[in-house]
Amino acid sequence: AQTVTQSQPEMSVQEAETVTLSCTYDTSESDYYLFWYKQPPSRQMILVIRQEAYKQQNATENRFSVNFQKAAKSFSLKISDSQLGDAAMYFCASTLLPNSAQKLVFGQGTRLTINP
Amino acid sequence: DTGVSQDPRHKITKRGQNVTFRCDPISEHNRLYWYRQTLGQGPEFLTYFQNEAQLEKSRLLSDRFSAERPKGSFSTLEIQRTEQGDSAMYLCASTGPSTGELFFGEGSRLTVL
């Protein structure tokens, strides 16, 4: 069975600074996908970034990048140049199936606060 | 852009009552998922449909829960004889064969008094 653990219930960062959110996971499979989702207050969850486990190169989406350490089963999210709009709950998630969107297993979430 | 829509957004009910939530996925998406999210936790998978077929149900989905997607379009999630432990946000999500992510609705929050 898959498990996803986020050990930081809350994080805060000054606007324009960089913050890293941690995530570890456990799976016995070799082929899986990892995701970071953002859930703003009272709004729907949206995908921030996705990483295929077979790819060694870390995914990057504008100010968002990941540090994927497959052997350590670690998948952290780095947010550069933090903006007020980045304030939200962030969830790390994984799925086993090659079609990446099926049966996500989520971590407990990290609440990110941006200080102006 | 019509994303995933859920109705109602918030439902308050008394213990023992039945409630039904509706989800309208993005029109071209053939897969639809239901998740439950309790306060301070990440979403937990409940069930999913491919077209009208319900392909998997979590052990979290007790006999009091039933989900349908009769024509492969919208879906309903019914909870019978609600209990206080059913209080949660019920999230619906959809995806299509050529997309690589789940698109979530804003959720239906259930409060059982």
Side-chain angles (χ1 to χ4, degrees), chain A residues 6 33 35 37 39 42-48 50 89 91-92 94 97 99-109 111, chain B residues 4 9 31 33 35 37 40-45 48 50 55-56 89 91 95-97 99-107:
Chain A
Q6 293 178 250
Y33 285 63
F35 306 84
Y37 275 85
Q39 188 177 39
S42 301
R43 297 187 62 186
Q44 68 262 51
M45 199 170 308
I46 57 174
L47 178 67
V48 174
R50 175 181 62 210
M89 284 290 290
F91 292 98
C92 179
S94 71
L97 299 177
N99 187 330
S100 60
Q102 199 159 330
K103 274 191 66 178
L104 292 175
V105 175
F106 286 88
Q108 305 91 323
R111 182 177 303 280
Chain B
V4 178
R9 293 290 313 282
R31 291 193 203 158
Y33 305 76
Y35 286 82
Q37 184 179 20
Q41 299 297 316
E44 296 173 293
F45 170 80
Y48 89 95
Q50 181 157 309
L55 296 186
E56 187 167 349
M89 178 75 83
L91 298 172
T95 190
T99 61
E101 66 179 276
L102 285 183
F103 292 83
F104 283 85
E106 294 185 357

Coordinates of all heavy atoms in Angstrom, one line a residue, chain A residues 6 33 35 37 39 42-48 50 89 91-92 94 97 99-109 111, chain B residues 4 9 31 33 35 37 40-45 48 50 55-56 89 91 95-97 99-107:
Chain A
Q6 N 3.5 14.2 5.1 CA 3.9 15.5 5.1 C 4.1 15.9 6.6 O 3.2 16.0 7.4 CB 2.9 16.5 4.5 CG 2.8 16.2 3.0 CD 1.7 17.1 2.4 OE1 0.6 16.6 2.0 NE2 2.0 18.4 2.3
Y33 N 3.5 8.0 -10.0 CA 3.5 9.4 -10.2 C 3.4 10.2 -8.9 O 2.7 9.7 -8.0 CB 2.4 9.8 -11.1 CG 2.6 9.5 -12.6 CD1 2.7 8.2 -13.0 CD2 2.6 10.5 -13.6 CE1 2.8 7.8 -14.3 CE2 2.8 10.1 -14.9 CZ 2.9 8.8 -15.3 OH 3.1 8.5 -16.6
F35 N 2.6 14.1 -7.1 CA 2.0 15.4 -7.4 C 2.1 16.3 -6.2 O 2.1 15.9 -5.0 CB 0.5 15.2 -7.7 CG 0.2 14.2 -8.8 CD1 0.1 12.9 -8.5 CD2 -0.1 14.6 -10.0 CE1 -0.2 11.9 -9.4 CE2 -0.4 13.7 -11.0 CZ -0.5 12.3 -10.7
Y37 N -0.5 19.4 -5.0 CA -1.8 20.1 -5.2 C -1.9 21.2 -4.2 O -1.4 21.2 -3.1 CB -3.0 19.2 -5.0 CG -3.4 18.3 -6.2 CD1 -2.7 17.1 -6.5 CD2 -4.3 18.8 -7.1 CE1 -3.1 16.3 -7.6 CE2 -4.7 18.0 -8.2 CZ -4.0 16.8 -8.4 OH -4.4 16.0 -9.6
Q39 N -4.6 23.9 -2.4 CA -6.0 24.1 -2.1 C -6.2 25.4 -1.3 O -6.0 25.5 -0.1 CB -6.5 22.9 -1.2 CG -8.0 23.0 -1.0 CD -8.5 21.8 -0.1 OE1 -7.9 21.3 0.8 NE2 -9.7 21.2 -0.5
S42 N -11.5 27.7 0.7 CA -12.8 27.7 0.1 C -12.8 27.6 -1.4 O -13.7 28.1 -2.1 CB -13.7 28.9 0.6 OG -13.8 28.9 2.0
R43 N -11.7 27.1 -1.9 CA -11.6 27.0 -3.4 C -11.2 25.6 -3.8 O -10.7 24.9 -2.9 CB -10.7 28.1 -4.0 CG -11.2 29.5 -3.7 CD -10.3 30.5 -4.5 NE -10.4 30.3 -5.9 CZ -9.6 30.9 -6.7 NH1 -8.8 31.8 -6.3 NH2 -9.7 30.7 -8.0
Q44 N -11.3 25.3 -5.0 CA -11.0 23.9 -5.4 C -9.5 23.6 -5.5 O -8.7 24.6 -5.6 CB -11.6 23.5 -6.7 CG -11.1 24.2 -8.0 CD -11.9 25.4 -8.4 OE1 -12.3 26.2 -7.5 NE2 -12.3 25.4 -9.6
M45 N -9.2 22.4 -5.3 CA -7.8 21.9 -5.4 C -7.3 22.0 -6.8 O -8.0 21.6 -7.7 CB -7.7 20.5 -4.9 CG -6.4 20.1 -4.4 SD -6.4 18.5 -3.6 CE -7.6 18.8 -2.3
I46 N -6.1 22.5 -7.0 CA -5.6 22.6 -8.3 C -4.2 22.0 -8.4 O -3.4 22.0 -7.4 CB -5.5 24.0 -8.9 CG1 -4.7 24.9 -7.9 CG2 -6.9 24.6 -9.1 CD1 -4.5 26.3 -8.5
L47 N -3.8 21.4 -9.5 CA -2.5 20.8 -9.6 C -1.4 21.8 -9.7 O -1.6 22.8 -10.5 CB -2.5 19.9 -10.9 CG -1.1 19.2 -11.2 CD1 -0.8 18.2 -10.1 CD2 -1.2 18.5 -12.5
V48 N -0.4 21.7 -9.0 CA 0.8 22.6 -9.0 C 1.9 22.0 -9.9 O 2.4 22.7 -10.8 CB 1.4 22.9 -7.6 CG1 2.6 23.7 -7.7 CG2 0.3 23.6 -6.7
R50 N 3.8 18.0 -11.3 CA 3.7 16.5 -11.4 C 5.1 16.0 -11.7 O 5.8 16.6 -12.5 CB 2.7 16.1 -12.4 CG 2.6 14.6 -12.7 CD 1.6 14.3 -13.8 NE 1.9 14.9 -15.0 CZ 1.0 15.4 -15.9 NH1 -0.3 15.2 -15.7 NH2 1.4 15.9 -17.1
M89 N -3.4 25.5 1.4 CA -2.9 24.2 1.9 C -2.3 23.5 0.7 O -2.8 23.6 -0.4 CB -4.1 23.4 2.3 CG -4.7 23.7 3.7 SD -3.5 23.3 5.0 CE -3.7 21.5 5.0
F91 N -0.9 19.9 -0.7 CA -1.0 18.4 -0.5 C 0.0 17.7 -1.5 O -0.1 18.0 -2.7 CB -2.4 17.9 -0.7 CG -3.4 18.4 0.3 CD1 -4.2 19.4 0.1 CD2 -3.4 17.7 1.5 CE1 -5.1 19.9 1.1 CE2 -4.4 18.1 2.5 CZ -5.2 19.2 2.3
C92 N 0.7 16.8 -0.9 CA 1.5 15.9 -1.7 C 0.7 14.7 -2.0 O -0.1 14.2 -1.1 CB 2.8 15.6 -0.9 SG 3.9 14.4 -1.7
S94 N 0.3 10.8 -4.4 CA 1.0 9.8 -5.3 C -0.1 8.9 -5.9 O -1.2 8.7 -5.4 CB 2.0 9.0 -4.6 OG 1.4 8.1 -3.7
L97 N -0.7 4.1 -10.8 CA -1.1 3.6 -12.1 C -0.4 4.5 -13.2 O -0.3 5.7 -13.0 CB -2.6 3.6 -12.3 CG -3.3 2.6 -11.3 CD1 -4.8 2.7 -11.5 CD2 -2.8 1.2 -11.6
N99 N -1.6 5.7 -15.9 CA -2.4 6.9 -16.2 C -2.5 7.7 -14.9 O -3.2 7.3 -14.0 CB -3.8 6.4 -16.6 CG -4.6 7.5 -17.1 OD1 -4.5 8.7 -16.7 ND2 -5.5 7.3 -18.0
S100 N -1.9 8.8 -14.9 CA -1.4 9.4 -13.7 C -2.5 9.9 -12.8 O -2.3 10.4 -11.6 CB -0.5 10.6 -14.0 OG -1.2 11.5 -14.8
A101 N -3.8 9.9 -13.2 CA -4.8 10.6 -12.4 C -5.6 9.7 -11.6 O -6.6 10.2 -11.0 CB -5.6 11.5 -13.3
Q102 N -5.3 8.5 -11.4 CA -6.2 7.6 -10.8 C -5.9 7.3 -9.3 O -4.7 7.0 -9.0 CB -6.2 6.3 -11.6 CG -7.5 5.5 -11.3 CD -7.7 4.5 -12.5 OE1 -7.3 4.8 -13.6 NE2 -8.2 3.3 -12.2
K103 N -6.8 7.3 -8.4 CA -6.7 6.9 -7.0 C -5.5 7.5 -6.4 O -4.6 6.9 -5.9 CB -6.6 5.4 -7.0 CG -7.9 4.7 -7.0 CD -7.7 3.2 -6.6 CE -7.2 3.0 -5.2 NZ -7.1 1.6 -4.8
L104 N -5.5 8.8 -6.3 CA -4.5 9.5 -5.6 C -4.5 9.2 -4.1 O -5.6 9.1 -3.5 CB -4.7 11.0 -5.8 CG -4.4 11.6 -7.2 CD1 -4.8 13.0 -7.2 CD2 -3.0 11.3 -7.6
V105 N -3.3 9.1 -3.5 CA -3.2 8.9 -2.1 C -2.5 10.2 -1.6 O -1.4 10.6 -2.1 CB -2.3 7.7 -1.7 CG1 -2.0 7.7 -0.2 CG2 -2.9 6.4 -2.2
F106 N -3.2 10.9 -0.7 CA -2.7 12.3 -0.3 C -2.0 12.2 1.1 O -2.3 11.4 1.9 CB -3.9 13.2 -0.2 CG -4.5 13.7 -1.5 CD1 -5.5 12.9 -2.1 CD2 -4.1 14.9 -2.1 CE1 -6.0 13.3 -3.3 CE2 -4.6 15.3 -3.3 CZ -5.6 14.5 -3.9
G107 N -1.1 13.2 1.3 CA -0.6 13.4 2.6 C -1.5 14.3 3.4 O -2.6 14.6 2.9
Q108 N -1.1 14.6 4.6 CA -2.0 15.4 5.5 C -2.1 16.8 5.2 O -2.9 17.6 5.7 CB -1.5 15.2 7.0 CG -1.4 13.7 7.4 CD 0.0 13.1 7.1 OE1 0.7 13.5 6.1 NE2 0.5 12.3 8.0
G109 N -1.1 17.3 4.4 CA -1.2 18.7 4.0 C -0.2 19.6 4.8 O 0.1 19.3 6.0
R111 N 0.0 23.8 5.6 CA -0.7 25.1 5.5 C 0.5 26.1 5.3 O 1.3 26.3 6.2 CB -1.5 25.5 6.6 CG -2.2 26.8 6.5 CD -3.2 27.1 7.6 NE -4.2 26.1 7.8 CZ -5.3 26.0 7.1 NH1 -5.5 26.9 6.1 NH2 -6.1 25.0 7.3
Chain B
V4 N -15.5 21.4 -12.9 CA -16.3 20.5 -12.1 C -17.1 21.2 -11.2 O -16.6 22.1 -10.4 CB -15.4 19.5 -11.4 CG1 -16.2 18.5 -10.6 CG2 -14.4 18.7 -12.3
R9 N -23.2 23.2 -2.0 CA -21.9 23.5 -1.5 C -21.8 23.2 0.0 O -20.8 22.9 0.5 CB -21.5 25.0 -1.8 CG -21.4 25.3 -3.3 CD -20.1 24.7 -3.9 NE -18.9 24.9 -3.0 CZ -18.3 26.0 -3.0 NH1 -18.6 27.1 -3.7 NH2 -17.2 26.2 -2.2
R31 N -13.8 9.8 -16.6 CA -13.6 9.2 -15.3 C -14.0 10.3 -14.2 O -13.7 11.5 -14.3 CB -12.2 8.9 -15.1 CG -11.7 7.7 -15.9 CD -10.4 7.2 -15.4 NE -9.7 6.4 -16.4 CZ -8.4 6.2 -16.4 NH1 -7.7 6.7 -15.5 NH2 -7.9 5.5 -17.4
Y33 N -14.4 10.8 -9.9 CA -14.0 10.3 -8.6 C -14.7 11.0 -7.5 O -15.0 12.2 -7.6 CB -12.4 10.6 -8.4 CG -11.6 10.0 -9.5 CD1 -11.5 10.6 -10.8 CD2 -10.9 8.8 -9.3 CE1 -10.7 10.1 -11.8 CE2 -10.1 8.3 -10.3 CZ -10.0 8.9 -11.5 OH -9.2 8.4 -12.5
Y35 N -14.0 11.8 -3.3 CA -13.1 11.8 -2.2 C -13.8 12.4 -1.0 O -14.7 13.2 -1.1 CB -11.8 12.6 -2.5 CG -10.8 12.0 -3.4 CD1 -11.0 12.1 -4.8 CD2 -9.7 11.3 -3.0 CE1 -10.1 11.5 -5.7 CE2 -8.8 10.7 -3.8 CZ -9.0 10.8 -5.2 OH -8.1 10.2 -6.1
Q37 N -12.8 14.5 2.6 CA -11.8 15.2 3.3 C -12.3 15.7 4.6 O -13.2 16.6 4.7 CB -11.3 16.4 2.4 CG -10.1 17.2 3.0 CD -9.6 18.3 2.2 OE1 -10.3 18.8 1.3 NE2 -8.4 18.7 2.4
G40 N -8.4 19.2 8.5 CA -7.0 19.1 8.8 C -6.4 17.9 8.2 O -5.2 17.5 8.5
Q41 N -7.1 17.2 7.3 CA -6.5 16.0 6.7 C -6.6 16.1 5.1 O -7.3 17.0 4.6 CB -7.4 14.7 7.1 CG -7.4 14.5 8.5 CD -6.0 14.1 9.1 OE1 -5.2 13.4 8.5 NE2 -5.6 14.7 10.2
G42 N -5.8 15.2 4.5 CA -5.9 15.2 3.1 C -7.1 14.4 2.6 O -7.6 13.6 3.4
P43 N -7.5 14.6 1.3 CA -8.6 13.8 0.8 C -8.3 12.3 0.8 O -7.2 11.9 0.6 CB -8.7 14.4 -0.6 CG -8.0 15.7 -0.6 CD -6.9 15.6 0.4
E44 N -9.4 11.5 1.0 CA -9.3 10.1 1.0 C -10.2 9.6 -0.1 O -11.4 10.0 -0.2 CB -9.7 9.5 2.3 CG -8.8 9.8 3.5 CD -9.4 9.3 4.8 OE1 -10.5 9.8 5.2 OE2 -8.8 8.4 5.4
F45 N -9.7 8.7 -0.9 CA -10.4 8.1 -2.0 C -11.7 7.3 -1.6 O -11.6 6.5 -0.6 CB -9.5 7.2 -2.8 CG -10.2 6.4 -3.9 CD1 -10.6 6.9 -5.1 CD2 -10.5 5.0 -3.7 CE1 -11.2 6.2 -6.1 CE2 -11.1 4.3 -4.6 CZ -11.5 4.8 -5.8
Y48 N -14.7 5.5 -7.8 CA -14.6 6.2 -9.0 C -15.3 5.4 -10.1 O -15.6 4.2 -10.0 CB -13.1 6.4 -9.4 CG -12.4 5.3 -10.2 CD1 -12.4 5.3 -11.6 CD2 -11.8 4.3 -9.6 CE1 -11.7 4.3 -12.3 CE2 -11.1 3.3 -10.3 CZ -11.1 3.3 -11.7 OH -10.4 2.3 -12.4
Q50 N -15.7 4.9 -14.4 CA -15.3 5.1 -15.8 C -16.6 5.0 -16.6 O -17.2 4.0 -16.7 CB -14.3 4.1 -16.3 CG -13.8 4.3 -17.7 CD -12.5 3.7 -18.0 OE1 -11.5 4.0 -17.3 NE2 -12.4 3.0 -19.0
L55 N -16.0 1.4 -10.9 CA -15.0 0.4 -11.0 C -14.3 0.0 -9.7 O -13.7 -1.1 -9.6 CB -13.9 0.8 -12.0 CG -14.4 1.0 -13.4 CD1 -13.2 1.3 -14.4 CD2 -15.1 -0.3 -13.9
E56 N -14.4 0.9 -8.7 CA -13.7 0.6 -7.4 C -14.4 1.4 -6.3 O -14.8 2.5 -6.5 CB -12.2 0.9 -7.5 CG -11.5 0.4 -6.2 CD -10.0 0.4 -6.4 OE1 -9.5 0.6 -7.6 OE2 -9.3 0.3 -5.4
M89 N -15.9 17.2 4.1 CA -16.0 17.8 2.7 C -16.0 16.6 1.7 O -15.1 15.8 1.8 CB -14.9 18.8 2.4 CG -14.9 19.4 1.1 SD -16.2 20.6 0.9 CE -15.2 22.0 1.6
L91 N -15.5 15.7 -2.0 CA -14.9 16.3 -3.2 C -15.1 15.4 -4.4 O -15.0 14.2 -4.3 CB -13.4 16.4 -3.0 CG -12.9 17.4 -1.9 CD1 -11.4 17.3 -1.8 CD2 -13.3 18.8 -2.3
T95 N -11.4 13.4 -14.8 CA -10.3 13.4 -15.8 C -10.7 12.7 -17.0 O -11.7 11.9 -17.1 CB -9.1 12.8 -15.1 OG1 -7.9 13.0 -16.0 CG2 -9.2 11.2 -15.0
G96 N -9.9 12.9 -18.1 CA -10.2 12.3 -19.4 C -9.0 11.4 -19.8 O -7.9 11.5 -19.2
P97 N -9.1 10.7 -20.9 CA -8.1 9.8 -21.3 C -6.8 10.5 -21.8 O -5.7 9.9 -21.7 CB -8.7 9.0 -22.5 CG -9.9 9.8 -22.9 CD -10.4 10.6 -21.7
T99 N -5.8 13.5 -20.5 CA -5.3 14.5 -19.5 C -4.5 13.7 -18.5 O -4.7 12.5 -18.3 CB -6.5 15.2 -18.8 OG1 -7.3 14.2 -18.2 CG2 -7.3 15.9 -19.8
G100 N -3.6 14.4 -17.9 CA -2.7 13.8 -16.9 C -3.0 14.3 -15.5 O -2.1 14.2 -14.6
E101 N -4.1 14.9 -15.2 CA -4.4 15.3 -13.9 C -5.9 15.2 -13.6 O -6.7 15.1 -14.4 CB -3.9 16.8 -13.7 CG -4.7 17.8 -14.6 CD -4.3 19.2 -14.4 OE1 -4.8 19.9 -13.5 OE2 -3.5 19.7 -15.3
L102 N -6.1 15.3 -12.3 CA -7.5 15.3 -11.8 C -7.9 16.8 -11.7 O -7.1 17.6 -11.2 CB -7.6 14.7 -10.4 CG -7.6 13.2 -10.3 CD1 -7.8 12.7 -8.9 CD2 -8.7 12.6 -11.2
F103 N -9.1 17.1 -12.1 CA -9.7 18.4 -11.9 C -10.8 18.3 -10.8 O -11.7 17.5 -11.0 CB -10.3 18.9 -13.2 CG -9.3 19.2 -14.3 CD1 -8.8 18.2 -15.1 CD2 -8.8 20.5 -14.5 CE1 -7.8 18.4 -16.1 CE2 -7.9 20.8 -15.5 CZ -7.4 19.7 -16.2
F104 N -10.6 19.1 -9.8 CA -11.5 19.0 -8.6 C -12.6 20.0 -8.7 O -12.4 21.2 -9.2 CB -10.7 19.1 -7.3 CG -9.9 17.9 -7.0 CD1 -8.6 17.7 -7.5 CD2 -10.4 17.0 -6.1 CE1 -7.9 16.6 -7.1 CE2 -9.7 15.9 -5.7 CZ -8.5 15.7 -6.2
G105 N -13.7 19.7 -8.1 CA -14.7 20.7 -7.8 C -14.4 21.3 -6.5 O -13.5 21.0 -5.8
E106 N -15.3 22.3 -6.1 CA -15.1 23.0 -4.8 C -15.5 22.3 -3.6 O -15.2 22.7 -2.5 CB -15.8 24.4 -4.9 CG -15.1 25.3 -6.0 CD -15.7 26.7 -6.0 OE1 -16.7 27.0 -5.2 OE2 -15.3 27.5 -6.7
G107 N -16.2 21.2 -3.8 CA -16.6 20.3 -2.7 C -18.0 20.6 -2.2 O -18.5 21.7 -2.4

